Amino acid sequence: MEAAAGQDAAPVVARPVSLLSRGLRWARKSAAAAARPAARPAPPPGPVELTEMGSSPSSSGGGFHRPSNTAAAMRVRSQSIQRGRAAAAPRARVLPGARCPRPAVLARRGVAAASTARPTTFSIITGDIGGTNARLSLWKCEEGGGGGGAGGAQQAEVFSETYATTAFPTFEDCLQAFLDESEVRGAGVQAAALAVAGAVENNRCPMTNTSWVIDGRQLGAQFKFRTAVLNDFEAVGYGIPALAPSDLVPLNDVPMVPTAPKVVMGPGTGLGAAQLFWDSGVQGYKVVPGEGAHATFAPRGWRQMALTAYVTARLGHCEIEEVACGRGLELIYEFLLSDPTFRRPDGRPAAAAAKVAPEITAEALEGEPTALAAVDIFLAIIGAEAGAMALRCLARGGVFIAGGIVPRLMDRVRGGGLLDAFLNRSGRERFTYLLQGMPLFVVTNTRVGIIGSREYALRMVREARGEWHERDE
């Protein structure tokens, strides 16, 4: 019993002793640490001087003495790296209040970003090339240091010449003759944009009414400036955003939505059409030309249906272009002459003499009944097609009617027939509210194609200089 009691009592006595000994050891270590002198603070960073070894050479056998202190060695390395960076890439001066672009933007701009800080002057060429004549123009352009935006750019047409296509075997010969003109020689041309009446593919257009083949890549290699070949109505599209308010007559006068799609159409020798979509990469519109004018005509009302039958009987198929251009106006007039249901206001049949488009428009402005009826049908077809184009891309940026015919008929256009056909309140009620929110204009500036060629050439110069980039936001 006693032994058992002793065995049970031993752990009780040993545990306090063990705790006491541990506490004493901890106290001795703390006192020793407090008695040690505090470490000397490290000297402030400064130039570290490397000393050459003296009488005690190191085991490496010469060279420079490396500090034994690890912290000092790290300071030496850090200072050398900083000095190397400063020598390799000096810091750019940032003006107060200036925004610092993203590194990716600076990399895309490259050296050209620095060159935009001062005004630049250069020359470009525009061309309007048809089957009979080629009109070439030289422009002097000056752009300020704001990146070549529209607000800081100035362009002036300083020389223009028109050449007969039959006078030169190739377009290269025609362009060389233009460059040899005294007003053009030594101008330092940087880009050319050529609007041609024909189908363009891969920057190349074989002309239909002449033997010329206009190849932008070949011209650029030969004459050492960038060259673009545009469809003539594609050039009109690039000219639309650059027009002044005085160049437009509003028919549906509602605000244009910024960066929203636009459409442009132009009845003339044919019916041109194009769509414009905003390109955030270049901060401008991209023109997408098309051949929608060759789609099948959709008549409205019994008279247009009879017109469709008349044109189909003559041509085999009635395209939109066949009744919505100069030739189409002539067909409409001939249809009215042949239609036994059409009578003059005095009850007599219409005259039986066909006329060309300029004669029809002139007689319509003078009030001749048959010409007036032909013009009214023509304008209704144009308005309906403009509305269809607007709905295809929701053109809240504006619908623009260019070409040479409609501006000459503005007195009749203001009568409202074209706008009524555009809105089509009775036949397309579900979409009238959409069309009412889309601006409709008639373009009165006949040089819109030349303006578009100029704008495209300017864009090529800016692209070559690396000025087009994403917005620094």
Side-chain angles (χ1 to χ4, degrees):
M1 294 290 293
E2 293 178 357
Q7 291 174 358
D8 294 338
V12 177
V13 175
R15 187 171 297 161
V17 173
S18 176
L19 293 174
L20 178 62
S21 62
R22 291 179 183 176
L24 290 174
R25 285 197 300 270
W26 176 82
R28 284 195 297 269
K29 288 182 180 180
S30 299
R36 280 199 215 79
R40 196 186 322 181
V48 177
E49 186 174 356
L50 301 178
T51 58
E52 203 169 40
M53 291 187 64
S55 56
S56 300
S58 66
S59 59
S60 60
F64 289 94
H65 174 66
R66 181 175 183 177
S68 59
N69 190 312
T70 304
M74 294 176 66
R75 287 197 301 274
V76 171
R77 176 174 176 80
S78 175
Q79 292 167 4
S80 63
I81 292 175
Q82 291 176 2
R83 285 194 297 269
R85 288 176 177 173
R91 295 182 61 186
R93 182 185 178 190
V94 179
L95 299 178
R99 299 178 62 192
C100 184
R102 297 191 304 270
V105 174
L106 290 175
R108 283 195 301 273
R109 294 179 187 174
V111 180
S115 66
T116 59
R118 57 183 182 275
T120 57
T121 302
F122 54 90
S123 299
I124 59 175
I125 290 175
T126 61
D128 182 10
I129 305 166
T132 305
N133 296 310
R135 184 179 186 272
L136 300 175
S137 300
L138 177 71
W139 297 75
K140 288 290 186 181
C141 308
E142 180 175 340
E143 296 188 344
Q154 295 180 352
Q155 307 93 27
E157 187 178 11
V158 296
F159 180 71
S160 179
E161 187 62 63
T162 300
Y163 303 92
T165 57
T166 56
F168 302 93
T170 66
F171 177 73
E172 287 81 355
D173 297 327
C174 179
L175 182 56
Q176 186 62 62
F178 180 76
L179 294 173
D180 289 339
E181 300 279 358
S182 59
E183 295 85 352
V184 183
R185 192 181 304 115
V189 176
Q190 294 194 14
L194 309 172
V196 298
V200 178
E201 187 174 359
N202 295 326
N203 205 24
R204 184 177 184 272
C205 177
M207 302 290 290
T208 55
N209 295 325
T210 179
S211 60
W212 287 1
V213 177
I214 303 178
D215 190 321
R217 183 174 299 179
Q218 180 178 334
L219 292 170
Q222 179 175 343
F223 295 102
K224 309 306 180 186
F225 50 75
R226 302 184 74 184
T227 306
V229 182
L230 308 175
N231 173 265
D232 53 355
F233 213 79
E234 184 181 3
V236 170
Y238 280 109
I240 291 295
L243 293 177
S246 58
D247 298 326
L248 304 172
V249 176
L251 302 183
N252 192 33
D253 195 4
V254 296
M256 290 185 287
V257 177
T259 72
K262 304 176 186 286
V263 297
V264 56
M265 59 183 295
T269 304
L271 178 63
Q275 297 174 318
L276 287 73
F277 298 98
W278 184 256
D279 186 342
S280 60
V282 300
Q283 289 297 292
Y285 277 94
K286 169 68 175 178
V287 177
V288 181
E291 296 295 339
H294 296 292
T296 302
F297 172 55
R300 293 181 184 175
W302 69 268
R303 178 152 283 167
Q304 290 189 16
M305 291 180 183
L307 171 64
T308 303
Y310 176 82
V311 175
T312 303
R314 290 192 55 176
L315 304 177
H317 179 243
C318 185
E319 300 178 350
I320 299 171
E321 185 178 73
E322 297 296 348
V323 291
C325 64
R327 183 177 65 258
L329 180 58
E330 296 168 3
L331 279 173
I332 295 170
Y333 188 84
E334 293 173 14
F335 158 72
L336 293 176
L337 296 180
S338 67
D339 184 4
T341 64
F342 180 76
R343 294 289 186 272
R344 292 165 54 99
D346 55 11
R348 294 183 300 170
K355 293 181 172 63
V356 295
E359 294 175 334
I360 298 170
T361 57
E363 290 184 2
L365 295 176
E366 294 173 358
E368 200 280 319
T370 307
L372 273 176
V375 163
D376 287 344
I377 294 174
F378 175 81
L379 292 177
I381 293 172
I382 296 298
E385 178 60 17
M389 289 187 64
L391 287 176
R392 288 185 188 110
C393 66
L394 296 179
R396 295 188 175 92
V399 180
F400 301 84
I401 300 175
I405 299 177
V406 176
R408 291 201 296 267
L409 297 170
M410 285 308 303
D411 290 343
R412 201 64 183 171
V413 169
R414 291 187 178 95
L418 191 153
L419 179 59
D420 289 342
F422 174 79
L423 297 174
N424 194 17
R425 295 182 178 92
S426 59
R428 198 158 46 191
E429 296 178 0
R430 292 184 302 165
F431 301 103
T432 298
Y433 78 97
L434 286 174
L435 292 166
Q436 288 173 337
M438 299 181 190
L440 177 64
F441 302 95
V442 174
V443 178
T444 58
N445 190 330
T446 58
R447 289 169 54 86
V448 60
I450 297 174
I451 294 172
S453 297
R454 180 198 71 192
E455 293 300 303
Y456 197 87
L458 288 172
R459 183 174 293 190
M460 287 194 294
V461 173
R462 294 167 186 159
E463 287 176 345
R465 294 179 175 179
E467 296 178 16
W468 292 117
H469 52 81
E470 294 178 358
R471 299 185 69 178
D472 184 28
E473 295 180 348

